[in-house]
Amino acid sequence: MASGSTVANAKLNIGECNGFGLEHIFRGRCRWTKYKDNDALIIKVKKKEYVVIFTGGAKADSYKKFRGNSFGMWIATEINLHHENTIKEAFARQLAAQNRKIFWDLNPEDENASIYKNHIDTFDDRFGDRYNYQHFTIRDNATISQQRLEEIEQQYIPGTVWYRRDILGERCAAEGLVYQNFADSLQDKKYLIKKIPENIYRIHIGVDFGGNGSYHAFVATGVMSGYSGVIGLMSKRIDAKNTDPTFLNKEFFNFVQMVFTMYGEIHAVFCDSAEQVLIQGMKNYMIKTKFSWLAGRFHNAAKIEIKDRIRLTHVLMASNRFWYTENAQTLRDALATARWDESVVGKDVRLDNGSTDIDTLDSFEYTIERDFKRYIKRGVSSEHN
């Protein structure tokens, strides 16, 4: 069995692997197919065929796809992203193996992550000389040229949790300010932009709805052509104590009017999908205004993992592809004060106890998260002048 966080991840990292995966090792002797509704690679060696099942492992019920099968070998990529149920079931599926073999790889996590405490750090005592652990960093990858290595490193801010884990290969906990580099930059105003470039081709608005003492938040983001950068154009935060929907709708209308007047057409509005009644109310209100065309451009926020949203913002900042204007002061303040929740052990969790402006951060992230892969792929190939 070959597993990843998803089937696609397993096929990409283990099957293809930039020309070094199983389909290349056994070139001319293997074929992709289906085996009992699972994606599989059939490998022929000395007139005998071997089946490698590819499966995802991130979800609590992922194990159901391979339960009932018996495996002689299990190879897992990014084992830290596998659910504990997957790990337990995969072990159980190898009990009948005559020559049991297990291969894992992972990127470093919080030093208290369960993958270490429950598994890796116990293996030496449990398996003795049958267990082998190797520590590598990105600089040990023989397939990456020096030029490409430098390009990759430019997408990270030194000292951040991502840099320490992905570049230096350290186990480390996320602590302190989430965007320390951004907070430090407020003095020299590194990310502040005064002249809006002409290559903004889309404007997105993110909406997060307040509740339980929090705030409503609106953020307008300019997306630059080719996903070469983003600009926080305008932001606003409104106390949610006034629960009258009409009040919220008027505030949103005023925000839209300011954005439209200053920056032009608005292409999409991404809202917190948990509040469908409020979203419908805003759409109905907009239909009665001069911005009636905007009612058809409302979408639910994708709401990808928060740590992936944070990583994306870090990449944009590190590669000089993020800016904000004077009209986005609440966004500036939210980024500068965002903190990791150090009370949560073993996981990367952003502090959300009312002491920081999570609402504005969510709103901003809604405007960029759907294009996560496009921004990451763009990397450092484009730089704003």
Side-chain angles (χ1 to χ4, degrees):
M1 182 174 74
S3 65
S5 57
T6 64
V7 175
N9 176 257
K11 293 176 73 173
L12 186 66
N13 288 1
I14 300 173
E16 204 283 325
C17 196
N18 294 328
F20 292 89
L22 294 180
E23 66 177 3
H24 299 278
I25 293 173
F26 297 100
R27 186 182 294 109
R29 294 177 288 163
C30 66
R31 69 183 188 277
W32 287 101
T33 185
K34 288 282 187 179
Y35 184 84
K36 296 181 180 179
D37 292 329
N38 287 286
D39 287 341
L41 188 67
I42 306 296
I43 299 173
K44 190 173 183 179
V45 180
K46 295 181 180 180
K47 298 183 179 181
K48 185 175 181 180
E49 288 190 335
Y50 296 85
V51 180
V52 181
I53 287 177
F54 285 75
T55 185
K59 298 180 179 179
D61 62 349
S62 293
Y63 69 91
K64 294 180 180 179
K65 286 287 287 183
F66 59 86
R67 172 175 271 185
N69 288 298
S70 292
F71 302 107
M73 188 187 91
W74 171 31
I75 180 170
T77 182
E78 297 183 341
I79 188 62
N80 51 311
L81 301 182
H82 287 53
H83 195 279
E84 185 66 22
N85 291 349
T86 301
I87 297 174
K88 290 179 179 178
E89 187 64 23
F91 279 143
R93 294 298 95 209
Q94 291 183 283
L95 294 180
Q98 294 180 350
N99 187 16
R100 187 184 188 196
K101 289 185 173 67
I102 299 168
F103 300 90
W104 287 354
D105 72 54
L106 75 158
N107 288 320
E109 286 265 359
D110 186 314
E111 56 194 343
N112 296 303
S114 61
I115 193 64
Y116 300 128
K117 297 177 70 175
N118 297 342
H119 300 287
I120 294 175
D121 289 345
T122 71
F123 287 170
D124 196 31
D125 291 335
R126 289 165 59 188
F127 303 120
D129 59 6
R130 292 181 296 156
Y131 160 68
N132 180 44
Y133 177 88
Q134 295 289 331
H135 178 91
F136 301 96
T137 72
I138 192 171
R139 297 184 177 92
D140 294 310
N141 191 327
T143 68
I144 299 179
S145 67
Q146 182 61 35
Q147 179 182 352
R148 181 56 184 153
L149 177 61
E150 292 174 358
E151 290 175 350
I152 292 172
E153 290 195 18
Q154 286 179 47
Q155 297 182 52
Y156 292 81
I157 299 173
T160 62
V161 63
W162 314 115
Y163 181 88
R164 292 179 61 193
R165 291 177 185 173
D166 295 354
I167 303 301
L168 303 181
E170 298 178 2
R171 298 183 188 183
C172 61
E175 56 187 3
L177 293 176
V178 175
Y179 303 106
Q180 181 69 62
N181 179 267
F182 180 85
D184 293 342
S185 76
L186 294 185
Q187 294 296 322
D188 60 19
K189 300 181 179 180
K190 173 183 176 181
Y191 297 101
L192 177 64
I193 189 171
K194 295 186 177 180
K195 183 179 179 181
I196 305 301
E198 297 179 356
N199 61 336
I200 289 182
Y201 88 109
R202 292 183 69 84
I203 293 177
H204 296 164
I205 291 180
V207 179
D208 189 63
F209 299 104
N212 299 321
S214 62
Y215 290 71
H216 302 305
F218 312 138
V219 174
T221 301
V223 179
M224 298 173 67
S225 60
Y227 300 93
S228 57
V230 300
I231 301 175
L233 298 172
M234 187 177 296
S235 63
K236 189 172 184 179
R237 192 172 184 231
I238 306 160
D239 197 324
K241 290 180 181 179
N242 187 334
T243 58
D244 180 7
T246 302
F247 168 77
L248 172 63
N249 296 337
K250 288 181 179 179
E251 289 292 333
F252 181 70
F253 170 81
N254 292 336
F255 184 79
V256 167
Q257 185 163 252
M258 288 190 292
V259 173
F260 185 83
T261 300
M262 296 188 67
Y263 303 113
E265 185 177 0
I266 299 162
H267 299 84
V269 179
F270 299 105
C271 306
D272 183 350
S273 57
E275 299 291 349
Q276 291 299 314
V277 173
L278 293 178
I279 293 172
Q280 189 59 49
M282 293 173 72
K283 291 167 66 175
N284 293 340
Y285 188 90
M286 296 305 293
I287 289 174
K288 301 174 184 178
T289 72
K290 60 183 177 181
F291 300 112
S292 58
W293 47 268
L294 191 60
R297 301 184 182 185
F298 277 70
H299 308 276
N300 289 332
K303 299 183 83 168
I304 64 174
E305 292 285 340
I306 292 178
K307 64 179 181 180
D308 288 333
R309 295 188 236 159
I310 294 173
R311 179 185 284 270
L312 174 56
T313 304
H314 267 288
V315 168
L316 291 171
M317 289 179 176
S319 55
N320 297 314
R321 292 187 292 149
F322 170 82
W323 303 271
Y324 69 93
T325 74
E326 291 284 8
N327 296 313
Q329 292 188 14
T330 56
L331 174 60
R332 176 202 64 191
D333 295 344
L335 290 168
T337 58
R339 302 190 67 86
W340 294 108
D341 190 341
E342 297 177 26
S343 68
V344 180
V345 179
K347 294 183 179 181
D348 302 332
V349 177
R350 189 167 59 191
L351 185 64
D352 186 8
N353 63 357
S355 63
T356 59
D357 183 3
I358 297 298
D359 314 295
T360 299
L361 293 178
D362 283 340
S363 300
F364 168 66
E365 291 160 358
Y366 295 161
T367 66
I368 62 174
E369 61 179 347
R370 283 175 177 260
D371 298 308
F372 178 92
K373 292 183 179 179
R374 290 189 175 99
Y375 288 121
I376 296 296
K377 184 177 180 180
R378 182 65 190 237
V380 295
S381 60
S382 178
E383 184 174 350
H384 171 70
N385 292 315

